[in-house]
């Protein structure tokens, strides 16, 4: 499996043409993690997901994965918001980024976000 991690709103700015790469890819991971640059908030990757641009570009059959950072500068609210956007925009999956530095409130926020979105989760 070959997955490309989209790291900016416009990958072409960095020389990556995802449309030309599409035949060779199995999935795209939408990520930005701008909470690391602006503590307490960020919307870079969320904007990529929310506006549907990646889905329109790659087509309905293509696998899109939403990256949600759970590392220390992320807040539980930002994590819940990220999970909500991923669910609302029908991402094929959610990947936790930088979980090695996550604390329990941030990890719990992922579960809370799934519950808030109405998805079934295992009992706590």
């Amino acid at each position: 499996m070959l997955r490309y991690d989209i790291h900016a709103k416009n990958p072409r700015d960095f020389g990556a043409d995802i449309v030309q790469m599409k035949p060779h890819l199995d999935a795209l991971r939408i990520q930005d993690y701008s909470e690391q640059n602006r503590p307490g908030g960020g919307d870079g990757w969320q904007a990529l997901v929310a506006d549907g641009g990646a889905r329109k570009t790659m087509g309905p059959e293509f696998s899109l994965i939403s990256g949600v950072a759970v590392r220390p500068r992320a807040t539980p609210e930002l994590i819940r918001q990220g999970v909500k956007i991923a669910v609302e925009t029908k991402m094929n999956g959610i990947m936790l980024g930088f979980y090695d530095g996550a604390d329990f409130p941030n990890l719990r926020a992922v579960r809370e976000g799934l519950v808030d979105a109405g998805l079934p989760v295992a009992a706590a």
Side-chain angles (χ1 to χ4, degrees), residues 31-46 67-76 78-79 97-98 106:
Q31 61 186 22
D32 179 278
Y33 310 136
S34 57
E35 81 282 350
Q36 295 301 306
N37 299 323
R38 293 192 323 261
D43 62 3
W45 73 270
Q46 294 170 349
V68 176
V70 293
R71 57 188 167 189
R73 282 195 186 168
T75 63
L78 184 62
I79 293 166
F98 308 98
N106 282 359

Short mmCIF file of all heavy atoms in Angstrom, two decimals, residues 31-46 67-76 78-79 97-98 106:
data_model
loop_
_atom_site.label_atom_id
_atom_site.label_comp_id
_atom_site.label_asym_id
_atom_site.label_seq_id
_atom_site.Cartn_x
_atom_site.Cartn_y
_atom_site.Cartn_z
N GLN A 31 -3.51 16.07 6.42
CA GLN A 31 -2.93 16.49 7.70
C GLN A 31 -2.39 17.90 7.59
O GLN A 31 -2.13 18.38 6.51
CB GLN A 31 -1.82 15.54 8.10
CG GLN A 31 -0.67 15.53 7.10
CD GLN A 31 0.36 14.48 7.43
OE1 GLN A 31 0.10 13.51 8.11
NE2 GLN A 31 1.56 14.67 6.93
N ASP A 32 -2.21 18.53 8.71
CA ASP A 32 -1.59 19.84 8.76
C ASP A 32 -0.96 20.07 10.13
O ASP A 32 0.15 20.53 10.23
CB ASP A 32 -2.62 20.94 8.45
CG ASP A 32 -2.01 22.32 8.50
OD1 ASP A 32 -1.89 22.85 9.62
OD2 ASP A 32 -1.64 22.86 7.46
N TYR A 33 -1.70 19.76 11.17
CA TYR A 33 -1.20 19.87 12.54
C TYR A 33 -0.77 21.29 12.89
O TYR A 33 0.21 21.51 13.57
CB TYR A 33 -0.06 18.90 12.80
CG TYR A 33 -0.35 17.50 12.39
CD1 TYR A 33 0.59 16.74 11.71
CD2 TYR A 33 -1.59 16.92 12.66
CE1 TYR A 33 0.32 15.44 11.34
CE2 TYR A 33 -1.86 15.61 12.28
CZ TYR A 33 -0.90 14.88 11.62
OH TYR A 33 -1.18 13.61 11.25
N SER A 34 -1.51 22.26 12.43
CA SER A 34 -1.12 23.64 12.67
C SER A 34 -1.24 24.04 14.14
O SER A 34 -0.79 25.11 14.52
CB SER A 34 -1.93 24.59 11.78
OG SER A 34 -3.31 24.41 11.98
N GLU A 35 -1.82 23.18 14.98
CA GLU A 35 -1.86 23.50 16.41
C GLU A 35 -0.44 23.59 16.98
O GLU A 35 -0.22 24.20 18.01
CB GLU A 35 -2.70 22.46 17.18
CG GLU A 35 -1.98 21.18 17.51
CD GLU A 35 -1.87 20.23 16.32
OE1 GLU A 35 -2.50 20.47 15.29
OE2 GLU A 35 -1.12 19.24 16.44
N GLN A 36 0.53 23.00 16.30
CA GLN A 36 1.90 23.06 16.77
C GLN A 36 2.50 24.44 16.55
O GLN A 36 3.41 24.85 17.24
CB GLN A 36 2.75 22.00 16.08
CG GLN A 36 2.33 20.59 16.42
CD GLN A 36 2.42 20.31 17.91
OE1 GLN A 36 3.46 20.50 18.53
NE2 GLN A 36 1.32 19.87 18.49
N ASN A 37 1.98 25.16 15.57
CA ASN A 37 2.48 26.50 15.28
C ASN A 37 1.68 27.59 15.99
O ASN A 37 2.19 28.65 16.28
CB ASN A 37 2.43 26.76 13.77
CG ASN A 37 3.30 25.79 13.02
OD1 ASN A 37 4.38 25.42 13.48
ND2 ASN A 37 2.83 25.34 11.88
N ARG A 38 0.40 27.32 16.22
CA ARG A 38 -0.48 28.27 16.88
C ARG A 38 -1.16 27.54 18.04
O ARG A 38 -2.23 26.95 17.86
CB ARG A 38 -1.53 28.80 15.90
CG ARG A 38 -0.91 29.64 14.80
CD ARG A 38 -1.96 30.40 13.98
NE ARG A 38 -3.18 29.70 13.74
CZ ARG A 38 -3.47 29.05 12.61
NH1 ARG A 38 -2.59 29.00 11.64
NH2 ARG A 38 -4.63 28.47 12.45
N PRO A 39 -0.54 27.51 19.20
CA PRO A 39 -1.10 26.75 20.32
C PRO A 39 -2.58 27.07 20.55
O PRO A 39 -2.98 28.22 20.53
CB PRO A 39 -0.25 27.19 21.51
CG PRO A 39 1.04 27.63 20.90
CD PRO A 39 0.66 28.23 19.57
N GLY A 40 -3.34 26.02 20.73
CA GLY A 40 -4.76 26.18 21.02
C GLY A 40 -5.64 26.27 19.80
O GLY A 40 -6.85 26.29 19.91
N GLY A 41 -5.07 26.29 18.62
CA GLY A 41 -5.94 26.38 17.46
C GLY A 41 -5.22 26.15 16.16
O GLY A 41 -4.02 26.32 16.07
N GLY A 42 -5.96 25.73 15.20
CA GLY A 42 -5.41 25.52 13.88
C GLY A 42 -6.53 24.99 12.99
O GLY A 42 -7.40 24.29 13.46
N ASP A 43 -6.49 25.33 11.73
CA ASP A 43 -7.55 24.85 10.86
C ASP A 43 -7.04 24.45 9.49
O ASP A 43 -7.81 24.26 8.58
CB ASP A 43 -8.64 25.89 10.72
CG ASP A 43 -8.14 27.18 10.07
OD1 ASP A 43 -6.96 27.25 9.69
OD2 ASP A 43 -8.95 28.10 9.95
N GLY A 44 -5.74 24.32 9.33
CA GLY A 44 -5.20 24.01 8.01
C GLY A 44 -5.72 22.71 7.44
O GLY A 44 -6.36 22.68 6.39
N TRP A 45 -5.49 21.58 8.10
CA TRP A 45 -5.94 20.30 7.56
C TRP A 45 -7.45 20.21 7.60
O TRP A 45 -8.07 19.61 6.74
CB TRP A 45 -5.31 19.14 8.32
CG TRP A 45 -5.85 18.94 9.69
CD1 TRP A 45 -5.38 19.49 10.84
CD2 TRP A 45 -6.98 18.17 10.06
NE1 TRP A 45 -6.15 19.11 11.90
CE2 TRP A 45 -7.13 18.28 11.45
CE3 TRP A 45 -7.89 17.38 9.35
CZ2 TRP A 45 -8.15 17.66 12.14
CZ3 TRP A 45 -8.89 16.75 10.04
CH2 TRP A 45 -9.01 16.89 11.42
N GLN A 46 -8.05 20.84 8.61
CA GLN A 46 -9.50 20.78 8.69
C GLN A 46 -10.14 21.46 7.49
O GLN A 46 -11.15 21.01 6.97
CB GLN A 46 -9.98 21.41 10.00
CG GLN A 46 -9.54 20.60 11.21
CD GLN A 46 -9.79 21.33 12.51
OE1 GLN A 46 -10.11 22.50 12.52
NE2 GLN A 46 -9.63 20.63 13.61
N GLY A 67 -5.87 12.87 9.27
CA GLY A 67 -4.91 12.83 10.36
C GLY A 67 -5.34 13.76 11.48
O GLY A 67 -5.63 14.92 11.24
N VAL A 68 -5.40 13.23 12.69
CA VAL A 68 -5.76 14.04 13.86
C VAL A 68 -4.59 13.97 14.83
O VAL A 68 -4.23 12.89 15.31
CB VAL A 68 -7.05 13.52 14.53
CG1 VAL A 68 -7.35 14.30 15.80
CG2 VAL A 68 -8.23 13.60 13.57
N ALA A 69 -3.98 15.10 15.10
CA ALA A 69 -2.84 15.14 16.01
C ALA A 69 -3.32 15.12 17.45
O ALA A 69 -4.19 15.89 17.83
CB ALA A 69 -2.00 16.38 15.76
N VAL A 70 -2.75 14.25 18.25
CA VAL A 70 -3.12 14.15 19.66
C VAL A 70 -1.96 14.53 20.57
O VAL A 70 -2.01 14.33 21.77
CB VAL A 70 -3.64 12.73 20.00
CG1 VAL A 70 -4.95 12.46 19.29
CG2 VAL A 70 -2.61 11.67 19.64
N ARG A 71 -0.94 15.13 20.00
CA ARG A 71 0.23 15.49 20.79
C ARG A 71 -0.06 16.67 21.73
O ARG A 71 -1.12 17.28 21.66
CB ARG A 71 1.41 15.76 19.88
CG ARG A 71 1.19 16.83 18.84
CD ARG A 71 2.36 16.86 17.88
NE ARG A 71 2.04 17.65 16.71
CZ ARG A 71 2.82 17.71 15.66
NH1 ARG A 71 3.93 17.03 15.63
NH2 ARG A 71 2.49 18.44 14.64
N PRO A 72 0.88 17.00 22.60
CA PRO A 72 0.61 17.93 23.70
C PRO A 72 0.01 19.29 23.35
O PRO A 72 -0.83 19.77 24.10
CB PRO A 72 1.97 18.09 24.36
CG PRO A 72 2.65 16.79 24.11
CD PRO A 72 2.21 16.39 22.73
N ARG A 73 0.38 19.93 22.29
CA ARG A 73 -0.18 21.26 22.01
C ARG A 73 -1.61 21.21 21.48
O ARG A 73 -2.29 22.22 21.44
CB ARG A 73 0.69 22.04 21.04
CG ARG A 73 1.90 22.63 21.70
CD ARG A 73 2.51 23.67 20.79
NE ARG A 73 3.75 24.15 21.34
CZ ARG A 73 4.61 24.88 20.67
NH1 ARG A 73 4.36 25.22 19.43
NH2 ARG A 73 5.71 25.29 21.24
N ALA A 74 -2.05 20.05 21.04
CA ALA A 74 -3.44 19.92 20.63
C ALA A 74 -4.30 19.98 21.88
O ALA A 74 -3.88 19.56 22.96
CB ALA A 74 -3.65 18.59 19.91
N THR A 75 -5.48 20.50 21.74
CA THR A 75 -6.40 20.55 22.88
C THR A 75 -7.50 19.51 22.66
O THR A 75 -7.79 19.14 21.51
CB THR A 75 -7.05 21.94 23.00
OG1 THR A 75 -7.84 22.17 21.82
CG2 THR A 75 -5.99 23.03 23.16
N PRO A 76 -8.12 19.03 23.74
CA PRO A 76 -9.23 18.10 23.55
C PRO A 76 -10.32 18.66 22.63
O PRO A 76 -10.87 17.93 21.80
CB PRO A 76 -9.75 17.88 24.98
CG PRO A 76 -8.51 18.03 25.83
CD PRO A 76 -7.76 19.16 25.16
N LEU A 78 -9.96 20.80 20.11
CA LEU A 78 -9.48 20.74 18.72
C LEU A 78 -9.54 19.31 18.20
O LEU A 78 -9.91 19.07 17.05
CB LEU A 78 -8.05 21.29 18.64
CG LEU A 78 -7.43 21.39 17.26
CD1 LEU A 78 -8.22 22.35 16.37
CD2 LEU A 78 -5.99 21.85 17.36
N ILE A 79 -9.21 18.35 19.05
CA ILE A 79 -9.26 16.94 18.64
C ILE A 79 -10.70 16.52 18.36
O ILE A 79 -10.98 15.89 17.34
CB ILE A 79 -8.61 16.06 19.72
CG1 ILE A 79 -7.10 16.36 19.78
CG2 ILE A 79 -8.86 14.58 19.43
CD1 ILE A 79 -6.41 15.81 20.99
N GLY A 97 -2.05 11.18 14.81
CA GLY A 97 -0.68 11.60 14.57
C GLY A 97 0.01 11.96 15.87
O GLY A 97 -0.58 12.61 16.73
N PHE A 98 1.23 11.49 16.01
CA PHE A 98 2.08 11.86 17.14
C PHE A 98 1.50 11.41 18.47
O PHE A 98 1.52 12.13 19.45
CB PHE A 98 2.38 13.36 17.12
CG PHE A 98 2.90 13.80 15.80
CD1 PHE A 98 2.06 14.38 14.86
CD2 PHE A 98 4.22 13.60 15.45
CE1 PHE A 98 2.53 14.76 13.61
CE2 PHE A 98 4.71 13.98 14.21
CZ PHE A 98 3.86 14.55 13.30
N ASN A 106 -6.15 14.02 25.81
CA ASN A 106 -6.18 14.11 24.35
C ASN A 106 -6.63 12.79 23.73
O ASN A 106 -7.37 12.78 22.75
CB ASN A 106 -4.82 14.53 23.80
CG ASN A 106 -4.58 16.01 23.96
OD1 ASN A 106 -5.42 16.74 24.47
ND2 ASN A 106 -3.42 16.47 23.53
#
